[in-house]
Amino acid sequence: MAEGKIIEYIDQRKIVLSVCLKDRGSKLQLLTPSNHEVSISPKRALLISSTTLNISGLREELLNKLKMAEKRRTDYMAKVPVQDLWELTREENETFTYEYLAQLSFGDNVTDDHISALVRALFADKVYFKMKDDYFIPNSPDKVEQIRKATEAAELREREITEGANFLKQVINDRYPEDPPLKEKIIEILVQLALYGRDAPDLKVGKEMFSRAGIKDIDRARHLLVKLDIWGEHENLDLHRLKTRIDFNEPVLKEADIVIRKEIDSSDREDLTDLSIFTIDGPLTRDFDDALSLQPIDGGHRLGIHITDLSPFIQVDEHLDKEACIRASSIYLPANQIPMFPSSLSNNALSLVKGFNRLAISLMVDFDKGWNINNYRFIPAIVRVEEQLTYDQVNAAYTGDPVLLALYQLTQALRQERTVNGALLIPLPEIHFEFDDNSDIQIRLIEQETPARTIVSECMILYNWLAARFASETALPILYRSQEPPQERLSTDESNYIYYVFQQRRRLHPLFIDTIPQQHSGLGVDVYTNATSPLRRYMDLLVQRQIHSALLKKGPVYTESRLKELTILIQQTLRDIDLMKRNQIRYWTLKYVAGLINHSFNAIVFQKLRYKYLIILTDFLLVADLPTATGPELSLGEHIKVVVKRSDPWDDVLLLELAN
């Protein structure tokens, strides 16, 4: 019978001391030092004392005896040399009784208190011994190290949660405490939650931290980072998610300084500095990588398209080249720009800046009077830009300028030829954001179908087309850009042009980059590449290097297999950049619209889904949702007016209603 015995059992991962008041065979009725009576199965008894307490006396006396036993065992527990015991026994590869280990700790004459202290110490430690049945088994050294690391990690995690919760409590109450020791980790967890939400690696820690701080929603992480001045109010989260590099490291900047001072042998280049060469760009452009010239020749005109030549300056696999490969492209966002090369190069030393001699790969194309191509050639050249014109200047002056007028007529003929060959001309205005010092936003759409933009786009398409032809005809490995014919060609609808363009674009196949020359259906050419923007696109630099080596009668810089490897990297990065640009355009549009609650806007019904319409806000060319429950049945292509009820750029929320 167990009545009167001191019994210890495990409850909620703790060893509980008690005395048995009644042994019912299948159940033991126990009394704990806190005067609670519990009933357990005999199988749960961990230790049963050899001595017996008098349970028939006063309850108070019995409780005092239990408390004294608890104190003795706790005091002894602190004296158990757990690690020393492990060192003595770990090599023996066997199990050990509680009594044997207690004797190693306290000597041969051990009591119930000593044995309990030993069990408590090893049970609480959990590092050096494993409990099994009525024995302890020493853990292997590897297991000990594993447990120790896990324990340290758990302790650190608890510190992070506690410090983080206390820190955030004060922050949300507008008190700014001293930085906690683990502030860096706390901020890292906030960033994770803001960027990845429920996919954050430290989600459990973050949720517990927020819970203890009284913050219910992990979406508050972004607000907290702004409040702590870690992020700005309009932080671009895609830059963080995609780990996009904004600044240039020291090795890249040092190499850029070397490039600026580098002297290049230009004896093998044709001097074209006597040509009247000009650029056409936006008023804020500083990275000029293309320029034009047009001169009359017998029976027609000679068009010059001059692309800055980076090949002699940006060496393969050096710091600048590797950095450009990682970036893949300059990034043009509504509120900022991230260049592919340091501005000392892209805006100065390698840019076709007015009045400076620059190296170029020039395409010279001879046209007859009917604007048909007679012949063309690519040449390594030296050029000097005489004028840097803006789109607006060209649009205002081209009818009265013989060169610009002839250039416009030439590019109109090129466009017509592409149209005959199946090109889809479906441009839309470009959305442009203007920010003032008060953070006010203005949005306007910039028309793309102007004489100046037509001149530039057609000349660049011509250069890229002929560069692709040159490579395919000479079996030069390059990267080609292609596009299969659309799934369906819709009839052009000028009366509802925006709706027509959006519908036609849905039916286009994606662009594809490969080393195999194929047609580019959208542009109406048999082969195509990108070679006109080496300052802004890494693919263009790769192609330029190949052409440069061929023109100088050298072997190609890249093999086809190496180009295929680079294609994988480039395409993924370009997709990421494209997503970032779309997200930023949407963010700033919603930010603008947030200041126009209850204003109405023009829209076109684009698509009908089960519970909503997709509509196009024509002032911003933005696709948005319109619930079907907001009004009467609408037809595809129908022009409507909608009212803004809510716009939140942070949460990507735009609520619209059909205007009355």
Side-chain angles (χ1 to χ4, degrees):
M1 298 290 287
E3 292 175 1
K5 300 290 187 181
I6 294 178
I7 294 178
E8 292 181 274
Y9 64 95
I10 297 173
D11 185 49
Q12 296 183 352
R13 299 182 181 181
K14 293 181 179 179
I15 294 179
V16 180
L17 180 139
S18 65
V19 63
C20 181
L21 300 179
K22 197 74 175 175
D23 184 348
R24 304 181 186 277
S26 61
K27 290 290 182 181
L28 299 176
Q29 185 178 345
L30 309 177
L31 175 69
T32 69
S34 58
N35 200 23
H36 286 118
E37 292 191 22
V38 296
S39 180
I40 68 169
S41 165
K43 293 180 180 179
R44 289 184 60 191
L46 177 65
L47 292 173
I48 300 177
S49 67
S50 59
T51 57
T52 303
L53 297 180
N54 180 14
I55 58 175
S56 61
L58 294 174
R59 173 69 65 97
E60 189 66 30
E61 291 180 1
L62 185 58
L63 289 174
N64 283 335
K65 290 179 180 179
L66 285 178
K67 290 175 183 177
M68 291 173 62
E70 178 76 34
K71 184 177 186 310
R72 289 195 304 274
R73 296 180 181 201
T74 302
D75 290 343
Y76 282 139
M77 175 182 167
K79 298 177 181 180
V80 176
V82 178
Q83 186 172 353
D84 291 343
L85 288 177
W86 177 74
E87 294 287 355
L88 287 171
T89 59
R90 68 187 180 98
E91 300 293 343
E92 298 182 32
N93 194 26
E94 58 181 274
T95 59
F96 297 94
T97 64
Y98 303 160
E99 184 177 3
Y100 176 76
L101 293 175
Q103 288 173 338
L104 288 181
S105 300
F106 299 105
D108 292 338
N109 299 320
V110 293
T111 65
D112 292 334
D113 293 335
H114 293 119
I115 294 173
S116 170
L118 178 281
V119 173
R120 288 172 178 236
L122 269 58
F123 180 80
D125 179 76
K126 294 184 175 64
V127 175
Y128 294 100
F129 290 87
K130 176 174 65 176
M131 180 185 287
K132 186 175 182 181
D133 299 328
D134 294 330
Y135 300 92
F136 279 109
I137 305 170
N139 287 321
S140 69
D142 288 345
K143 185 67 174 178
V144 167
E145 185 62 22
Q146 179 184 341
I147 295 172
R148 184 185 289 121
K149 287 182 178 179
T151 303
E152 290 173 355
E155 291 172 352
L156 178 60
R157 188 160 54 247
E158 178 59 29
R159 277 186 59 206
E160 290 168 356
I161 292 170
T162 303
E163 282 188 21
N166 293 336
F167 179 66
L168 295 181
K169 274 182 190 176
Q170 297 183 66
V171 172
I172 60 177
N173 290 321
D174 294 322
R175 294 194 295 271
Y176 294 92
E178 293 184 7
D179 291 348
L182 294 175
K183 181 181 179 181
E184 188 174 322
K185 181 60 180 180
I186 296 167
I187 298 303
E188 179 189 328
I189 292 171
L190 287 178
V191 169
Q192 284 185 21
L193 295 176
L195 293 179
Y196 307 112
R198 302 198 175 278
D199 293 325
D202 288 322
L203 175 63
K204 288 184 178 179
V205 176
K207 286 179 68 175
E208 182 63 23
M209 184 191 300
F210 272 39
S211 176
R212 295 189 196 179
I215 305 170
K216 296 181 180 179
D217 191 351
I218 62 172
D219 289 341
R220 290 285 299 167
R222 181 172 179 173
H223 297 265
L224 290 166
L225 288 165
V226 172
K227 192 167 187 177
L228 288 165
D229 290 326
I230 305 297
W231 282 357
E233 181 184 353
H234 305 296
E235 195 78 15
N236 183 346
L237 302 195
D238 284 329
L239 287 176
H240 296 283
R241 292 190 187 104
L242 300 174
K243 296 179 172 57
T244 302
R245 302 190 189 192
I246 298 176
D247 300 320
F248 293 94
N249 61 33
E250 192 62 27
V252 171
L253 294 174
K254 284 184 177 179
E255 193 171 295
D257 288 339
I258 294 171
V259 168
I260 292 170
R261 298 190 297 271
K262 187 174 184 178
E263 293 186 9
I264 301 295
D265 180 11
S266 57
S267 59
D268 55 357
R269 292 178 177 267
E270 190 168 329
D271 190 343
L272 301 181
T273 55
D274 59 335
L275 292 180
S276 179
I277 298 176
F278 53 91
T279 62
I280 305 175
D281 286 281
L284 301 179
T285 301
R286 295 295 178 267
D287 48 353
F288 303 104
D289 45 20
D290 60 85
L292 304 172
S293 62
L294 187 68
Q295 60 188 127
I297 57 174
D298 289 341
H301 287 80
R302 176 169 293 158
L303 171 66
I305 307 173
H306 313 280
I307 307 300
T308 183
D309 187 2
L310 274 57
S311 302
F313 301 99
I314 309 300
Q315 300 302 308
V316 177
D317 289 337
E318 295 295 334
H319 293 298
L320 283 165
D321 181 57
K322 289 180 178 178
E323 185 70 17
C325 181
I326 291 170
R327 296 181 180 229
S329 173
S330 295
I331 305 174
Y332 298 91
L333 302 173
N336 63 313
Q337 298 179 5
I338 304 171
M340 189 172 75
F341 288 112
S343 59
S344 59
L345 300 180
S346 60
N347 293 1
N348 292 291
L350 302 182
S351 180
L352 299 181
V353 180
K354 176 181 176 180
F356 291 90
N357 287 0
R358 293 288 188 255
L359 304 188
I361 300 293
S362 297
L363 169 64
M364 309 304 292
V365 190
D366 291 347
F367 292 87
D368 63 19
K369 291 182 179 180
W371 303 118
N372 300 302
I373 297 176
N374 282 335
N375 56 68
Y376 70 90
R377 65 190 181 107
F378 287 93
I379 54 175
I382 303 173
V383 299
R384 183 170 58 244
V385 170
E386 289 186 357
E387 288 187 276
Q388 292 193 305
L389 305 174
T390 65
Y391 292 120
D392 289 343
Q393 288 173 333
V394 172
N395 291 333
Y398 82 98
T399 55
D401 185 301
V403 173
L404 294 177
L405 180 59
L407 191 53
Y408 178 63
Q409 293 169 344
L410 184 161
T411 52
Q412 285 291 93
L414 291 173
R415 173 166 290 200
Q416 179 60 33
E417 179 68 18
R418 290 195 303 107
T419 304
V420 170
N421 291 330
L424 270 172
L425 304 181
I426 47 175
L428 286 171
E430 180 182 287
I431 188 166
H432 180 71
F433 297 83
E434 295 176 354
F435 303 87
D436 63 21
D437 294 337
N438 298 320
S439 297
D440 290 333
I441 310 168
Q442 295 299 322
I443 296 180
R444 62 189 177 97
L445 297 179
I446 299 178
E447 183 59 49
Q448 300 298 293
E449 290 293 276
T450 64
R453 291 181 182 271
T454 298
I455 288 171
V456 173
S457 64
E458 289 299 325
C459 286
M460 298 307 111
I461 292 171
L462 177 65
Y463 190 105
N464 289 327
W465 169 48
L466 293 179
R469 274 204 160 185
F470 170 79
S472 63
E473 290 170 357
T474 58
L476 178 68
I478 67 164
L479 293 176
Y480 295 92
R481 190 157 189 161
S482 58
Q483 186 181 40
E484 295 179 4
Q487 301 168 14
E488 179 185 4
R489 281 182 177 266
L490 304 178
S491 299
T492 305
D493 184 358
E494 294 294 344
S495 64
N496 202 354
Y497 179 73
I498 292 177
Y499 174 72
Y500 153 70
V501 171
F502 270 78
Q503 290 289 1
Q504 183 63 76
R505 288 187 174 186
R506 286 181 62 205
R507 291 161 170 80
L508 296 179
H509 286 285
L511 296 170
F512 189 71
I513 300 174
D514 197 5
T515 56
I516 301 171
Q518 300 178 67
Q519 70 166 331
H520 193 306
S521 173
L523 294 176
V525 292
D526 54 348
V527 287
Y528 195 72
T529 188
N530 283 131
T532 54
S533 296
L535 283 174
R536 313 180 204 186
R537 290 190 302 245
Y538 192 67
M539 175 179 170
D540 298 49
L541 176 57
L542 296 179
V543 175
Q544 185 182 79
R545 281 173 171 159
Q546 296 293 82
I547 293 174
H548 177 272
S549 65
L551 295 177
L552 296 181
K553 310 299 183 185
K554 299 178 180 178
V557 177
Y558 302 101
T559 62
E560 183 175 349
S561 60
R562 178 56 179 155
L563 288 174
K564 284 182 178 291
E565 292 172 4
L566 290 168
T567 300
I568 297 172
L569 299 174
I570 293 170
Q571 283 191 306
Q572 183 56 56
T573 306
L574 291 177
R575 282 193 288 267
D576 292 342
I577 291 172
D578 187 53
L579 174 64
M580 184 193 304
K581 290 168 69 173
R582 292 199 307 271
N583 288 345
Q584 279 293 286
I585 288 172
R586 184 173 181 85
Y587 175 89
W588 287 108
T589 302
L590 295 188
K591 177 66 178 176
Y592 173 75
V593 172
L596 298 169
I597 302 302
N598 293 323
H599 280 59
S600 64
F601 293 95
N602 295 319
I604 301 172
V605 181
F606 175 47
Q607 191 176 356
K608 183 178 180 180
L609 303 176
R610 187 172 182 182
Y611 298 112
K612 64 183 179 182
Y613 296 98
L614 295 183
I615 63 172
I616 306 164
L617 296 173
T618 54
D619 290 324
F620 319 113
L621 301 180
L622 181 74
V623 175
D625 296 345
L626 179 67
T628 54
T630 60
E633 183 80 11
L634 302 175
S635 303
L636 297 185
E638 182 178 347
H639 287 248
I640 59 174
K641 281 189 174 291
V642 294
V643 176
V644 177
K645 306 309 292 182
R646 182 185 171 211
S647 181
D648 185 340
W650 270 28
D651 295 327
D652 191 22
V653 173
L654 178 59
L655 297 182
L656 302 170
E657 290 182 1
L658 194 64
N660 296 326

